[in-house]
């Protein structure tokens, strides 16, 4: 079997779509190495994320021929359809807006994953509207639509009027680096390297208003244990400098407030393990639920904003809160009792078994085969 995989967003950008694409390709190449996975991209460029995928023998990338005048047209029109047929592709899998319209009416087996069904993360309402329009057209001709959770599945059915029988839920998997072991002597070395406090709650992500970090800081202020700090891992923004730092002063927690621009990828697992907990103050976005399952797999307590998506991914192995006072009370109860904390960490690790790369690859290959079978039934 050869699976054609749309690769523009996966390779060239660093966003939710690219993250999902990388873990999907990695899972497929690891557990089904006898297939070929072809990434199609109109941009003849390379970067470290794309290069990392080339470590797998079954992964290939294809660009338009150099003499083609409009490479973007090759990607969005019939050029990529002809290329897929020439390369022996059996199934084309697009993500979000990466389903070329050339496949419409081609009877080509196509699968469409929507990581953000309403495109809330798009820049501006016009872009959001255009992406939704593309998605609506794609939903009419693709053979199967995939959601990453039950909440998104229902959104796709209601908003795009898709037959429920054609919408499947395939959960993402945790990042493979979460299973890396860390030597005991490394913890103190990394604590000094990044100037980390003795006890801290870790936030990893962006510093913008929509990330609800003000509520996180209020939660920290209300914790019973005043010796616990917060480490904010991410690049500084104007919002961080003008709002968050001032709020830390107002709450008298600036001495418990630490910001780190970047942790080397090889050190990240250890930094997460060292944390008393990982906090996720916004769980409406898919990127934050990736963090949830990654943290549980790494072996860290998770404190997160309550939502249907969060509970679907975290199960009974996370602390959910609706407001900062409730969150501080629930978190203090667990953080002050090491036995409770360890029990919840173990439950989280057990819960993460639902999100392995093997399960993701098995379910996706099953869908690829089902659309191929469907095609043969109606073409033979």
């Amino acid at each position: 079997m050869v699976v054609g995989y749309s690769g523009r967003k996966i390779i060239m950008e660093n966003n939710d779509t690219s993250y999902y694409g990388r873990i999907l390709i990695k899972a497929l190449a690891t557990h089904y190495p006898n297939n070929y996975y072809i990434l199609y991209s109109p941009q003849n460029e390379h970067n470290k994320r794309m290069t990392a995928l080339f470590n797998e023998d079954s992964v290939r990338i294809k660009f338009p021929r150099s003499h083609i005048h409009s490479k973007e047209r090759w990607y969005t029109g019939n050029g990529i359809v002809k290329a897929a047929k020439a390369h022996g592709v059996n199934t084309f899998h697009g993500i979000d807006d990466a389903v070329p319209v050339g496949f419409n009416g081609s009877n080509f087996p196509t699968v469409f994953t929507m990581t953000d069904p309403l495109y809330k993360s798009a820049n501006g309402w016009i872009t959001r509207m255009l992406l939704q329009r593309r998605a609506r057209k794609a939903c009419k001709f693709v053979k199967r639509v995939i959601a990453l959770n039950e909440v998104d599945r229902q959104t796709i059915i209601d908003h795009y009027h898709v037959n429920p029988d054609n919408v499947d839920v395939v959960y993402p998997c945790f990042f493979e680096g979460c299973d890396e072991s860390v030597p005991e002597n490394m913890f103190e070395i990394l604590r000094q390297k990044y100037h980390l406090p003795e006890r801290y709650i870790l936030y990893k992500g962006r510093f913008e208003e929509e990330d609800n970090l003000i509520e996180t800081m209020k939660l920290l202020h209300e914790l019973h244990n005043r010796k616990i700090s917060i480490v904010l891992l991410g690049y500084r923004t104007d919002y961080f400098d003008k709002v968050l730092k001032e709020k830390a002063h107002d709450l008298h927690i600036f001495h418990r407030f630490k910001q780190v621009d970047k942790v080397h990828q090889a050190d990240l697992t250890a930094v997460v393990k060292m944390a008393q907990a990982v906090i996720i103050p916004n769980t409406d976005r898919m990127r934050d639920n990736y963090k949830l399952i990654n943290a549980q797999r790494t072996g860290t307590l998770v404190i997160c904003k309550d939502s249907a998506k969060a509970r679907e991914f975290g199960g009974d192995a996370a602390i959910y809160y609706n407001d900062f006072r409730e969150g501080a009370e629930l978190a203090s109860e667990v953080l002050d009792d090491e036995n409770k904390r360890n029990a919840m960490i173990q439950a989280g690790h057990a819960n993460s078994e639902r999100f392995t790369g093997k399960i993701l690859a098995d379910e996706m290959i099953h869908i690829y085969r089902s659309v191929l079978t469907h095609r043969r039934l109606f073409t033979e």
Side-chain angles (χ1 to χ4, degrees), residues 281-294:
N282 185 351
T283 52
D284 290 331
R285 303 167 304 193
M286 196 57 222
R287 74 173 74 107
D288 300 295
N289 293 296
Y290 295 143
K291 298 174 191 175
L292 196 161
I293 59 178
N294 286 343

Side-chain angles (χ1 to χ4, degrees), residues 248-314:
H249 280 293
D250 293 343
L251 293 171
H252 307 290
I253 60 169
F254 195 76
H255 62 290
R256 301 161 61 191
F257 183 80
K258 171 72 176 177
Q259 183 263 334
V260 179
D261 283 337
K262 186 177 181 180
V263 169
H264 194 280
Q265 186 65 46
D267 301 335
L268 185 57
T269 297
V271 171
V272 175
K273 284 180 178 289
M274 291 162 61
Q276 294 294 297
V278 168
I279 191 162
I280 306 172
N282 185 351
T283 52
D284 290 331
R285 303 167 304 193
M286 196 57 222
R287 74 173 74 107
D288 300 295
N289 293 296
Y290 295 143
K291 298 174 191 175
L292 196 161
I293 59 178
N294 286 343
Q296 285 189 336
R297 187 65 181 185
T298 302
T300 307
L301 176 67
V302 176
I303 305 169
C304 61
K305 189 77 172 181
D306 198 1
S307 70
K309 285 185 184 180
R311 288 187 179 269
E312 187 174 347
F313 284 97

Side-chain angles (χ1 to χ4, degrees), residues 223-236:
L223 284 179
H224 298 172
N225 191 334
R226 304 291 181 176
K227 294 183 179 179
I228 296 179
S229 302
I230 185 166
V231 173
L232 304 173
L233 176 54
Y235 292 105
R236 293 170 63 169

Side-chain angles (χ1 to χ4, degrees), residues 24 94 112 370 372:
L24 173 59
F112 179 30
S370 70
L372 280 171

Side-chain angles (χ1 to χ4, degrees), residues 76-94:
T76 58
N78 293 324
I80 193 170
V81 181
K82 293 178 181 178
K85 291 179 179 179
H87 297 146
V89 170
N90 292 341
T91 308
F92 187 91
H93 187 163

Side-chain angles (χ1 to χ4, degrees), residues 103-121:
F103 286 104
N104 187 10
S106 67
N107 198 34
F108 202 99
T110 48
V111 177
F112 179 30
T113 292
M114 301 180 74
T115 64
D116 179 13
L118 298 180
Y119 300 93
K120 293 180 180 179
S121 59

